[in-house]
Amino acid sequence: MSDLNKLTIAEARDALRKGETTSVALTEACLAAIDRADALGAFVHKTPDLALDRAKAADARIAAGDAPDMCGIPVGIKDLFCTEGVPSQAASKILEGFLPQYESTVSSQLKDAGAVMLGKLNMDEFAMGSSNETSVYGNAVNPWKAGNGEDLLTPGGSSGGSASAVAADLCLAATGTDTGGSIRQPAAFTGTVGLKPTYGRCSRWGIVAFASSLDQAGPMTKTVRDAAIMGRAMMGHDPKDSTSADLAVPDFEAMLTGDIRGKVIGIPKEYRMDGMPEEIETLWHQGAEMLRDAGAEIRDISLPHTKYALPAYYVIAPAEASSNLARYDGVRFGHRAKLGHGDGITEMYEKTRAEGFGAEVQRRVMIGTYVLSAGFYDAYYNRARKVRALIKKDFDDVFADGVDSILTPATPSAAFELGKEVSDPVEMYLNDVFTVTVNLAGLPGVAVPTGLDTQGLPLGLQLIGRPWEEGDLLNTAYALENAAQFVAKPAKWW
């Protein structure tokens, strides 16, 4: 078989079972593709020896007939996941040299399932960003280009390296994390599928924390079926994580029938934003018609507190970040600033954090500390928490009225040029306008590539599901994927 790195998880799994290829061959094809793709900045810590060792073990496991679905599948791991003996920096200078002596629960579950880790993937520093331009490693780059242009485009963020690697066929799939859209927005920008599970479905243990009540890991894949396969391997109860749900994880792949007859799909009027590009509006309408043609009922709905979602998110997330990042002080691990004569512990903290944190992380820590400070806690943080409860109630009410899932745009635009918005933080924050509500409410969401804009760049739609019903959500996404028939790939230039 040729172009092994271009296979989907499902195709590779079936080929492995039939003896048509080996995990070693798959892994070698991916490693060769990675070495040719340094221009994309996707892989930041390559682990070829470890990958080949795991591939050989996977082949032996398959030969013995003891092989879960992910066995032998080469994947990339976002740099936010701690991986034993492999650098895990969260794309920050402050964690330079950190080699965890333990494995995150999600990456451990993938390892136990026989998946092959190819290396660590680029991301925004501490997952703070929407364009992968805040990384200590430098930018990750989108493999897509606009028309005949030469400008480099963002792959989205914070899981930009994961999205770029999957879209460019450097790996068959990758892990991502989503705090306000960091799986779904990059997936939409790169023509890939990104699943953000219900909060509590995937363990957060061993994942470097950004905002603990919002963070959730999920798969980034080439197809909805692959998201179902990999998602199942990543999920499950973890006693080490107090927010992990003790619920059985169903076989999502078995639930992919494509039959959505009688399902009710909600179209929220509040997502029709002023200034939304016409092609996003058109794509949204076309997506609704595709689902209607598949037998679903399309119903207009209202989520009245949506307009408060971004302000609430950008109070809650920085507040939790400022608390979580207080542990990076130069004492126990990571970067420590050189001290001058007479410097004490306060100066060490100040200099280490000033040197170790990038501008965006510093900005969010400052905002978070401010909204949690005496005199402002009630005015900002407590009010944002109350708004969050109202946003969750909006979704609860809609689902109680019989809506099965909600269809919205995934992003307000196609991928933009690197450097275009990084100078304006507020403009960058607006990239999350369609995605943050899902995290505030703890719901599952999935981005599905559905079309191309006038410059040939991919556009995605988002489906939002009921809590814990990822299987039903993925089946609706599968029906949308089948109807859209998105097969475009980026023209190779790297």
Side-chain angles (χ1 to χ4, degrees):
M1 300 176 74
S2 59
D3 294 332
L4 291 172
N5 54 303
K6 295 182 179 179
L7 295 176
T8 65
I9 292 175
E11 290 168 345
R13 174 195 62 187
D14 295 346
L16 287 167
R17 300 301 176 280
K18 294 175 184 174
E20 295 172 353
T21 188
T22 64
S23 179
V24 168
L26 280 169
T27 301
E28 287 175 341
C30 289
L31 292 173
I34 291 166
D35 285 340
R36 294 192 295 267
D38 286 345
L40 295 177
F43 276 87
V44 291
H45 297 295
K46 302 175 186 178
T47 56
D49 294 339
L50 178 64
L52 288 170
D53 286 344
R54 290 192 184 173
K56 291 170 187 172
D59 282 333
R61 197 167 167 184
I62 292 167
D66 168 34
D69 286 338
M70 288 297 295
C71 190
I73 304 298
V75 300
I77 303 293
K78 186 176 179 179
D79 196 39
L80 208 62
F81 294 77
C82 288
T83 44
E84 186 177 2
V86 177
S88 304
Q89 283 185 238
S92 180
K93 181 179 179 181
I94 207 160
L95 278 173
E96 189 173 16
F98 176 49
L99 291 174
Q101 299 306 301
Y102 57 91
E103 191 84 24
S104 77
T105 296
V106 166
S107 57
S108 178
Q109 286 177 190
L110 288 170
K111 178 183 175 183
D112 291 345
V116 175
M117 185 179 78
L118 297 164
K120 304 298 285 292
L121 292 160
N122 207 347
M123 55 177 282
D124 280 296
E125 184 182 8
F126 282 106
M128 298 181 194
S130 300
S131 64
N132 215 132
E133 292 175 273
T134 68
S135 170
V136 73
Y137 309 117
N139 301 339
V141 179
N142 198 324
W144 292 81
K145 286 194 174 181
N148 296 317
E150 291 302 314
D151 292 323
L152 299 180
L153 305 179
T154 175
S158 64
S159 307
S162 299
S164 177
V166 174
D169 294 316
L170 308 186
C171 53
L172 274 58
T175 62
T177 61
D178 194 309
T179 306
S182 289
I183 285 175
R184 291 159 289 149
Q185 183 246 28
F189 276 1
T190 55
T192 55
V193 173
L195 172 66
K196 181 257 170 207
T198 309
Y199 181 81
R201 265 294 193 198
C202 287
S203 171
R204 293 185 299 108
W205 194 86
I207 301 174
V208 178
F210 165 13
S212 300
S213 74
L214 300 164
D215 298 345
Q216 189 61 194
M220 303 186 72
T221 60
K222 300 176 187 180
T223 67
V224 172
R225 182 176 296 278
D226 284 4
I229 296 168
M230 185 174 178
R232 185 187 185 199
M234 293 172 66
M235 297 177 198
H237 179 242
D238 178 12
K240 295 195 293 289
D241 176 5
S242 62
T243 62
S244 173
D246 191 2
L247 292 173
V249 180
D251 184 347
F252 299 131
E253 187 184 11
M255 300 171 76
L256 299 182
T257 63
D259 184 358
I260 58 168
R261 288 173 293 181
K263 295 290 183 183
V264 179
I265 311 296
I267 307 293
K269 64 181 182 182
E270 289 80 8
Y271 282 61
R272 291 192 168 89
M273 304 288 182
D274 292 338
M276 182 191 290
E278 187 177 333
E279 52 198 7
I280 299 283
E281 179 78 46
T282 300
L283 183 81
W284 190 12
H285 176 73
Q286 289 171 345
E289 289 304 308
M290 290 175 194
L291 294 174
R292 191 196 306 274
D293 291 344
E297 175 192 335
I298 306 300
R299 182 185 299 176
D300 289 331
I301 61 170
S302 177
L303 299 168
H305 294 94
T306 297
K307 61 185 174 183
Y308 305 117
L310 268 180
Y313 174 84
Y314 279 105
V315 170
I316 292 169
E320 295 187 11
S322 72
S323 177
N324 278 324
L325 270 61
R327 71 193 69 173
Y328 303 111
D329 51 18
V331 176
R332 287 160 290 189
F333 48 79
H335 176 75
R336 178 186 293 183
K338 291 182 179 178
L339 303 181
H341 181 71
D343 282 348
I345 192 165
T346 300
E347 288 79 12
M348 186 193 75
Y349 288 162
E350 290 172 349
K351 290 182 178 180
T352 294
R353 290 166 70 80
E355 289 178 13
F357 290 147
E360 181 60 29
V361 172
Q362 291 181 24
R363 182 183 295 116
R364 297 202 198 190
V365 168
M366 291 288 285
I367 292 169
T369 305
Y370 177 79
V371 301
L372 290 175
S373 60
F376 298 104
Y377 186 89
D378 285 330
Y380 292 105
Y381 185 69
N382 255 349
R383 186 171 294 180
R385 287 176 58 227
K386 291 172 183 176
V387 169
R388 179 181 190 172
L390 293 172
I391 289 168
K392 184 178 186 306
K393 186 176 184 301
D394 286 347
F395 284 104
D396 290 344
D397 291 346
V398 164
F399 291 135
D401 285 341
V403 170
D404 293 293
S405 53
I406 297 166
L407 181 72
T408 78
T411 57
S413 71
F416 48 86
E417 295 169 25
L418 286 165
K420 182 179 179 183
E421 295 181 10
V422 75
S423 59
D424 184 347
V426 175
E427 187 74 19
M428 186 68 77
Y429 297 165
L430 291 173
N431 272 288
D432 302 329
V433 67
F434 297 128
T435 51
V436 295
T437 53
V438 176
N439 299 80
L440 289 169
L443 299 172
V446 61
V448 182
T450 320
L452 298 171
D453 74 354
T454 52
Q455 297 188 73
L457 294 176
L459 297 171
L461 291 175
Q462 173 182 230
L463 282 160
I464 304 166
R466 296 168 178 261
W468 315 115
E469 295 189 12
E470 288 87 358
D472 189 62
L473 175 68
L474 285 166
N475 187 47
T476 304
Y478 185 60
L480 179 62
E481 179 184 61
N482 287 340
Q485 288 293 304
F486 184 93
V487 294
K489 297 289 289 183
K492 190 170 180 181
W493 54 267
W494 58 92

